[in-house]
Amino acid sequence: MAKVNSNRVDIFNRTIISSLFLLGWPMVVSNLMQTFYNVVDAYFLGKLGKIEFSAPTVVWPLLFVFISFSIGFSNAGVALVAQYTGARDKENAKRAAGQSLLVSFVIGTGISILGIIISKPVITAIVGPRSSQIVPYAISYFRIIMFGLPLGFIFNTTTSIVRGWGDSKFTMKIMFLSTVINIILDPIFIFGFWIIPGFGVSGAAWATTLARGIAGIISAYHLFEGTRGFKIHFKDLYPKWWLIKKVLRIGFPGSASMSVTSLGFTIIMRFVSSFGPAVISAYGVGNRIISIITMISFGLGSAVTTMIGQFLGAKDVKNAEKTVKVAFLVNFSIVFFLSSLTFFFGGSLTKFFINDPEVIKVGNIFFKYVSFSLPFFTSMTVFTNTLIGAGRTEQSMIIDITRLWGIRVPLIGIMSAKYGFIGLFYAMIISNILALILAWLFVRFGNWKTPVISKSQL
């Protein structure tokens, strides 16, 4: 019998608020480390020059389209494992974990091959003739990341499985290991060290690929050895089609949602770019500050996903509903306080990054408008993560796509033409508030309180 690890949060013997905190804070730290991960890459690549620095930037939206499939199927793992754990059905929890891992690896391998095949024509089209010197670097970087994608899928799915069981510290620790490896390998592979030659942009890609690959292998080892208290066996990888269908049904909507969302933000960036460097810079600074605030909400949202899954698995609808209410109030209160600070000190925050009078002026306007809507936008994630934990990812997909393509993109086109760059901020406010209302309607009147799991089917 696997040893029970003290890192697991038993939500059935704790208060809602303490469970949210204990499950949420490791995910906040994990998100911060992911940001630091990207900053380190940018720092070292910046030493090579603007062409080399631009290569990962150019291919990132395309990369995210592929990576989003990993995130989508990891949602399937956390939802199913959480619900079976709540139902005290350990055997099916292990089976669900095994099938999630199997599907994730197979799809990750297929996507990896597809990405490598289409990389040259697609990246060449994205970059365009005016920046053709970036293309070789971008293709090389993209292909190396694609090569390591299957292990990246394993990493995301494995940590999500353990999180669904109730241990979110595992994700944080593995992410810390991956970040440290990346920090060590980045300068060695980019610039060279001792007998190792410098590979430039390709070196950054290899550092990232190896760091994530090692993290993926180590996380899988812990899962199969049961060192965290939850253990699966190789027999759990044998295809069970009734479970594979569940994984696909839950995983594909989330994957599609993130892919379509990534494309939507690419379109929005074109509108932003039309107003010149000052607006682009202020928008970039604003998004970076907002992303730090939203990390808190995403960490809290991850906790909600686990708790909703386990409570529904246990058929404890009352505590599932209470979790949503408490998480909403906690999130809204925290983000309201933080967004009040950005409202009053937005100009100073912008100046910290870029000391340019025009950028500071636009940044101040950005924060005056957008800060108002942040509590609404981040609280929406409480509702969408509720749906994910319930396994109703098709509903969270509808919310995400509607927010971006049904509301924000059309509003940005209309309002930026009428009000200039301030119209961008009007559109962000309206789309965030309307998206919250839409998400609330799904949670208030939807069918999420019925679990998606079923009893053993051997």
Coordinates of all heavy atoms in Angstrom, one line a residue, residues 44-107:
F44 N 19.0 36.2 -21.5 CA 20.2 35.6 -22.2 C 20.1 35.8 -23.7 O 21.1 36.1 -24.3 CB 20.4 34.2 -21.8 CG 20.9 34.0 -20.4 CD1 20.2 33.3 -19.5 CD2 22.1 34.5 -20.0 CE1 20.6 33.1 -18.2 CE2 22.6 34.3 -18.7 CZ 21.8 33.6 -17.8
L45 N 18.9 35.6 -24.2 CA 18.8 35.8 -25.7 C 18.9 37.3 -26.1 O 19.4 37.6 -27.2 CB 17.4 35.3 -26.1 CG 17.2 33.8 -26.2 CD1 15.8 33.4 -26.5 CD2 18.1 33.2 -27.3
G46 N 18.6 38.2 -25.2 CA 18.8 39.6 -25.4 C 20.2 40.0 -25.6 O 20.5 41.0 -26.3
K47 N 21.1 39.2 -25.1 CA 22.6 39.4 -25.2 C 23.1 39.1 -26.6 O 24.1 39.5 -27.0 CB 23.4 38.6 -24.2 CG 23.0 38.8 -22.7 CD 23.2 40.2 -22.3 CE 22.8 40.4 -20.8 NZ 23.0 41.9 -20.4
L48 N 22.3 38.3 -27.4 CA 22.7 37.9 -28.7 C 22.3 38.9 -29.8 O 23.0 39.0 -30.8 CB 22.0 36.6 -29.1 CG 22.4 35.3 -28.3 CD1 21.6 34.1 -28.7 CD2 23.9 35.0 -28.4
G49 N 21.3 39.7 -29.5 CA 20.9 40.7 -30.5 C 19.4 40.7 -30.7 O 18.7 39.7 -30.3
K50 N 18.8 41.7 -31.4 CA 17.4 41.8 -31.5 C 16.8 40.7 -32.4 O 15.7 40.3 -32.3 CB 17.0 43.2 -32.0 CG 17.6 43.5 -33.4 CD 17.2 44.9 -33.8 CE 17.7 45.3 -35.2 NZ 17.3 46.7 -35.6
I51 N 17.6 40.2 -33.4 CA 17.1 39.2 -34.3 C 16.9 37.9 -33.6 O 15.9 37.2 -33.7 CB 18.0 39.0 -35.5 CG1 18.0 40.3 -36.4 CG2 17.6 37.8 -36.4 CD1 19.0 40.2 -37.6
E52 N 17.9 37.5 -32.8 CA 17.9 36.3 -32.0 C 16.8 36.4 -31.0 O 16.1 35.4 -30.7 CB 19.2 36.0 -31.4 CG 20.3 35.6 -32.4 CD 21.0 36.8 -33.0 OE1 20.6 37.9 -32.8 OE2 22.0 36.6 -33.7
F53 N 16.7 37.6 -30.3 CA 15.7 37.8 -29.3 C 14.3 37.6 -29.9 O 13.4 37.2 -29.2 CB 15.9 39.2 -28.7 CG 14.9 39.5 -27.6 CD1 15.2 39.1 -26.3 CD2 13.8 40.2 -27.8 CE1 14.3 39.3 -25.2 CE2 12.9 40.5 -26.8 CZ 13.1 40.0 -25.5
S54 N 14.1 38.0 -31.1 CA 12.8 38.1 -31.7 C 12.3 36.7 -32.1 O 11.1 36.5 -32.2 CB 12.8 38.9 -33.0 OG 13.1 40.3 -32.6
A55 N 13.2 35.7 -32.3 CA 12.8 34.4 -32.8 C 11.8 33.7 -31.9 O 10.7 33.3 -32.4 CB 14.0 33.5 -33.0
P56 N 12.0 33.5 -30.6 CA 11.0 32.9 -29.7 C 9.7 33.7 -29.6 O 8.6 33.2 -29.5 CB 11.7 32.8 -28.3 CG 13.1 32.9 -28.6 CD 13.2 33.8 -29.8
T57 N 9.8 35.1 -29.6 CA 8.7 36.0 -29.6 C 7.7 35.7 -30.8 O 6.5 35.7 -30.6 CB 9.1 37.4 -29.6 OG1 10.0 37.6 -28.5 CG2 7.9 38.4 -29.4
V58 N 8.3 35.6 -31.9 CA 7.6 35.4 -33.2 C 6.8 34.1 -33.1 O 5.6 34.0 -33.6 CB 8.5 35.4 -34.4 CG1 7.8 34.9 -35.6 CG2 8.9 36.9 -34.6
V59 N 7.4 33.0 -32.6 CA 6.8 31.7 -32.7 C 5.9 31.4 -31.5 O 5.2 30.3 -31.5 CB 7.8 30.6 -32.9 CG1 8.6 30.7 -34.2 CG2 8.8 30.5 -31.7
W60 N 6.0 32.2 -30.4 CA 5.3 31.9 -29.2 C 3.8 31.7 -29.4 O 3.2 30.7 -28.9 CB 5.5 32.9 -28.1 CG 4.6 32.7 -26.9 CD1 3.6 33.5 -26.5 CD2 4.6 31.6 -26.1 NE1 3.0 33.0 -25.4 CE2 3.6 31.8 -25.1 CE3 5.4 30.4 -26.0 CZ2 3.4 30.8 -24.1 CZ3 5.1 29.5 -25.0 CH2 4.1 29.7 -24.1
P61 N 3.0 32.5 -30.2 CA 1.6 32.3 -30.4 C 1.3 30.9 -31.0 O 0.4 30.2 -30.6 CB 1.2 33.4 -31.3 CG 2.1 34.5 -31.0 CD 3.4 33.8 -30.8
L62 N 2.2 30.5 -32.0 CA 2.1 29.2 -32.6 C 2.4 28.1 -31.7 O 1.7 27.1 -31.6 CB 3.0 29.1 -33.9 CG 2.9 27.8 -34.7 CD1 1.5 27.6 -35.2 CD2 4.0 27.9 -35.8
L63 N 3.4 28.3 -30.9 CA 3.8 27.3 -29.8 C 2.6 27.1 -28.9 O 2.3 25.9 -28.5 CB 5.0 27.7 -29.1 CG 6.4 27.4 -29.7 CD1 7.5 28.0 -28.8 CD2 6.6 25.9 -29.7
F64 N 2.0 28.2 -28.5 CA 0.9 28.1 -27.5 C -0.3 27.3 -28.0 O -1.0 26.6 -27.3 CB 0.5 29.4 -27.0 CG -0.5 29.4 -25.8 CD1 0.0 29.1 -24.6 CD2 -1.8 29.5 -26.0 CE1 -0.9 29.0 -23.5 CE2 -2.7 29.5 -24.9 CZ -2.2 29.2 -23.7
V65 N -0.5 27.4 -29.3 CA -1.6 26.6 -29.9 C -1.4 25.1 -29.7 O -2.3 24.4 -29.4 CB -1.7 26.9 -31.5 CG1 -2.6 25.9 -32.1 CG2 -2.1 28.3 -31.7
F66 N -0.1 24.7 -29.8 CA 0.2 23.3 -29.6 C 0.2 22.9 -28.1 O -0.3 21.9 -27.7 CB 1.6 22.9 -30.2 CG 1.5 22.9 -31.7 CD1 1.9 24.0 -32.5 CD2 1.1 21.8 -32.4 CE1 1.8 24.0 -33.9 CE2 1.1 21.8 -33.8 CZ 1.4 22.9 -34.5
I67 N 0.8 23.8 -27.3 CA 1.0 23.6 -25.9 C -0.4 23.5 -25.2 O -0.6 22.9 -24.2 CB 1.9 24.7 -25.2 CG1 3.3 24.5 -25.7 CG2 1.8 24.6 -23.7 CD1 4.2 25.6 -25.3
S68 N -1.4 24.3 -25.8 CA -2.7 24.3 -25.2 C -3.4 23.0 -25.1 O -4.2 22.7 -24.2 CB -3.6 25.3 -26.0 OG -3.8 24.8 -27.3
F69 N -3.0 22.1 -26.0 CA -3.5 20.7 -26.0 C -3.1 20.0 -24.7 O -3.8 19.2 -24.1 CB -3.1 19.9 -27.2 CG -3.9 20.2 -28.4 CD1 -3.6 21.3 -29.3 CD2 -5.1 19.5 -28.7 CE1 -4.3 21.6 -30.4 CE2 -5.9 19.8 -29.8 CZ -5.5 20.9 -30.7
S70 N -1.8 20.3 -24.3 CA -1.3 19.7 -23.1 C -2.1 20.2 -21.9 O -2.5 19.4 -21.0 CB 0.2 20.1 -22.9 OG 0.6 19.8 -21.6
I71 N -2.4 21.5 -21.8 CA -3.1 22.1 -20.7 C -4.6 21.5 -20.7 O -5.1 21.2 -19.6 CB -3.2 23.6 -20.8 CG1 -1.7 24.2 -20.8 CG2 -4.0 24.2 -19.7 CD1 -1.6 25.6 -21.1
G72 N -5.2 21.4 -21.9 CA -6.5 20.9 -22.0 C -6.6 19.4 -21.4 O -7.6 19.1 -20.7
F73 N -5.7 18.6 -21.8 CA -5.8 17.2 -21.3 C -5.3 17.0 -19.9 O -5.7 16.1 -19.2 CB -5.0 16.3 -22.3 CG -5.7 16.0 -23.6 CD1 -5.4 16.7 -24.7 CD2 -6.8 15.2 -23.6 CE1 -6.1 16.5 -25.9 CE2 -7.5 15.0 -24.8 CZ -7.1 15.7 -25.9
S74 N -4.5 18.0 -19.4 CA -4.2 17.9 -18.0 C -5.4 18.3 -17.2 O -5.6 17.8 -16.1 CB -3.0 18.9 -17.7 OG -3.4 20.2 -17.8
N75 N -6.3 19.1 -17.7 CA -7.6 19.4 -17.1 C -8.4 18.1 -16.9 O -9.2 17.9 -15.9 CB -8.4 20.4 -17.8 CG -7.8 21.8 -17.6 OD1 -7.1 22.1 -16.7 ND2 -8.1 22.7 -18.6
A76 N -8.4 17.3 -17.9 CA -9.1 16.0 -17.9 C -8.6 15.1 -16.7 O -9.4 14.5 -16.0 CB -9.0 15.3 -19.2
G77 N -7.3 15.1 -16.6 CA -6.7 14.3 -15.6 C -7.1 14.8 -14.2 O -7.4 14.0 -13.3
V78 N -7.0 16.1 -13.9 CA -7.3 16.6 -12.6 C -8.8 16.4 -12.3 O -9.1 16.1 -11.2 CB -6.9 18.1 -12.5 CG1 -7.7 19.0 -13.3 CG2 -6.9 18.6 -11.0
A79 N -9.7 16.6 -13.3 CA -11.1 16.5 -13.0 C -11.5 15.1 -12.7 O -12.2 14.8 -11.7 CB -11.9 17.0 -14.2
L80 N -11.0 14.1 -13.5 CA -11.4 12.7 -13.3 C -10.8 12.1 -12.0 O -11.4 11.5 -11.2 CB -10.9 11.9 -14.5 CG -11.7 12.1 -15.7 CD1 -11.1 11.4 -16.9 CD2 -13.2 11.6 -15.6
V81 N -9.5 12.4 -11.7 CA -8.8 11.9 -10.5 C -9.5 12.5 -9.3 O -9.7 11.8 -8.3 CB -7.3 12.2 -10.6 CG1 -6.7 11.9 -9.2 CG2 -6.6 11.4 -11.7
A82 N -9.8 13.8 -9.4 CA -10.4 14.5 -8.2 C -11.8 13.9 -7.9 O -12.1 13.6 -6.7 CB -10.5 16.0 -8.5
Q83 N -12.6 13.7 -8.9 CA -13.9 13.1 -8.7 C -13.9 11.7 -8.2 O -14.6 11.3 -7.3 CB -14.7 13.2 -10.0 CG -15.1 14.7 -10.3 CD -16.2 14.8 -11.4 OE1 -17.0 13.9 -11.6 NE2 -16.2 15.9 -12.1
Y84 N -13.0 10.9 -8.7 CA -12.9 9.5 -8.2 C -12.3 9.5 -6.8 O -12.7 8.6 -6.0 CB -12.0 8.6 -9.2 CG -12.8 8.1 -10.4 CD1 -12.4 8.4 -11.7 CD2 -13.9 7.3 -10.2 CE1 -13.1 8.0 -12.8 CE2 -14.6 6.9 -11.3 CZ -14.2 7.2 -12.6 OH -14.9 6.7 -13.7
T85 N -11.4 10.4 -6.5 CA -10.8 10.5 -5.2 C -11.9 10.8 -4.2 O -12.0 10.3 -3.1 CB -9.7 11.5 -5.1 OG1 -8.6 11.1 -6.0 CG2 -9.1 11.7 -3.7
G86 N -12.7 11.8 -4.6 CA -13.9 12.2 -3.7 C -14.8 11.1 -3.5 O -15.4 10.9 -2.4
A87 N -15.0 10.2 -4.5 CA -15.9 9.1 -4.4 C -15.3 7.9 -3.7 O -16.0 6.9 -3.6 CB -16.4 8.7 -5.8
R88 N -14.1 8.1 -3.2 CA -13.3 7.0 -2.6 C -13.2 5.8 -3.5 O -13.1 4.6 -3.0 CB -14.1 6.6 -1.3 CG -14.3 7.7 -0.3 CD -13.0 8.1 0.4 NE -13.2 8.9 1.6 CZ -13.1 10.2 1.6 NH1 -12.8 10.9 0.5 NH2 -13.3 10.9 2.7
D89 N -13.1 6.0 -4.8 CA -12.9 5.0 -5.8 C -11.5 5.0 -6.2 O -11.1 5.5 -7.3 CB -13.9 5.2 -6.9 CG -13.9 4.0 -7.9 OD1 -13.0 3.1 -7.8 OD2 -14.8 3.9 -8.7
K90 N -10.6 4.4 -5.4 CA -9.1 4.5 -5.7 C -8.7 3.8 -7.0 O -7.9 4.3 -7.7 CB -8.4 3.9 -4.5 CG -6.9 4.2 -4.5 CD -6.2 3.8 -3.3 CE -4.7 4.1 -3.3 NZ -4.0 3.7 -2.1
E91 N -9.3 2.7 -7.3 CA -9.0 1.9 -8.4 C -9.2 2.7 -9.7 O -8.4 2.8 -10.6 CB -9.7 0.6 -8.5 CG -9.1 -0.4 -7.5 CD -7.6 -0.6 -7.6 OE1 -7.2 -0.9 -8.7 OE2 -6.9 -0.5 -6.6
N92 N -10.4 3.3 -9.8 CA -10.8 4.1 -11.0 C -10.0 5.4 -11.0 O -9.8 6.0 -12.1 CB -12.3 4.3 -11.0 CG -13.0 3.3 -11.8 OD1 -12.4 2.6 -12.7 ND2 -14.2 3.0 -11.5
A93 N -9.6 5.9 -9.9 CA -8.8 7.1 -9.8 C -7.4 6.8 -10.5 O -6.9 7.6 -11.3 CB -8.5 7.6 -8.4
K94 N -6.9 5.6 -10.2 CA -5.6 5.2 -10.8 C -5.8 4.9 -12.3 O -4.9 5.3 -13.1 CB -5.1 4.0 -10.1 CG -4.6 4.2 -8.6 CD -3.9 3.1 -8.0 CE -4.7 1.9 -7.8 NZ -4.0 0.8 -7.1
R95 N -6.9 4.3 -12.6 CA -7.2 4.0 -14.0 C -7.3 5.3 -14.8 O -6.8 5.5 -15.9 CB -8.4 3.2 -14.2 CG -8.3 1.8 -13.7 CD -9.6 1.0 -14.0 NE -9.5 -0.4 -13.4 CZ -10.3 -0.8 -12.5 NH1 -11.2 0.1 -12.0 NH2 -10.2 -2.0 -12.0
A96 N -8.0 6.3 -14.3 CA -8.2 7.6 -14.9 C -6.9 8.3 -15.1 O -6.6 8.9 -16.2 CB -9.2 8.4 -14.1
A97 N -6.0 8.2 -14.1 CA -4.7 8.8 -14.2 C -3.9 8.1 -15.3 O -3.2 8.8 -16.1 CB -3.9 8.6 -12.9
G98 N -3.9 6.8 -15.4 CA -3.2 6.1 -16.4 C -3.7 6.4 -17.8 O -2.9 6.6 -18.7
Q99 N -5.0 6.5 -18.0 CA -5.6 6.7 -19.3 C -5.3 8.2 -19.7 O -5.0 8.5 -20.9 CB -7.1 6.5 -19.3 CG -7.4 5.0 -19.0 CD -6.7 4.1 -19.9 OE1 -7.0 4.0 -21.1 NE2 -5.8 3.3 -19.4
S100 N -5.3 9.1 -18.7 CA -5.0 10.5 -19.0 C -3.5 10.6 -19.5 O -3.2 11.3 -20.5 CB -5.2 11.4 -17.8 OG -6.5 11.4 -17.4
L101 N -2.6 9.9 -18.8 CA -1.2 9.9 -19.2 C -1.0 9.3 -20.6 O -0.3 9.8 -21.4 CB -0.5 9.1 -18.2 CG 1.0 9.5 -17.9 CD1 1.1 10.9 -17.5 CD2 1.6 8.6 -16.8
L102 N -1.7 8.2 -20.9 CA -1.6 7.5 -22.2 C -2.1 8.4 -23.3 O -1.4 8.6 -24.3 CB -2.5 6.2 -22.1 CG -2.6 5.5 -23.5 CD1 -1.2 5.0 -23.9 CD2 -3.6 4.3 -23.4
V103 N -3.3 9.0 -23.1 CA -3.8 9.9 -24.2 C -2.9 11.1 -24.4 O -2.7 11.5 -25.5 CB -5.3 10.3 -23.8 CG1 -5.8 11.4 -24.7 CG2 -6.2 9.1 -23.8
S104 N -2.5 11.7 -23.3 CA -1.6 12.8 -23.3 C -0.3 12.6 -24.1 O 0.1 13.4 -25.0 CB -1.3 13.3 -21.9 OG -0.6 14.5 -22.0
F105 N 0.3 11.4 -23.8 CA 1.5 11.1 -24.5 C 1.3 10.8 -26.0 O 2.1 11.3 -26.9 CB 2.2 9.9 -23.9 CG 3.5 9.5 -24.5 CD1 4.7 10.3 -24.2 CD2 3.6 8.4 -25.3 CE1 5.9 10.0 -24.8 CE2 4.9 8.1 -25.9 CZ 6.0 8.9 -25.7
V106 N 0.3 10.1 -26.3 CA 0.0 9.8 -27.7 C -0.3 11.1 -28.5 O 0.2 11.3 -29.6 CB -1.2 8.8 -27.9 CG1 -1.6 8.7 -29.3 CG2 -0.8 7.4 -27.3
I107 N -1.2 11.9 -28.0 CA -1.5 13.2 -28.7 C -0.3 14.1 -28.7 O -0.1 14.7 -29.7 CB -2.7 13.8 -28.0 CG1 -4.0 13.0 -28.2 CG2 -2.9 15.3 -28.5 CD1 -5.2 13.6 -27.6

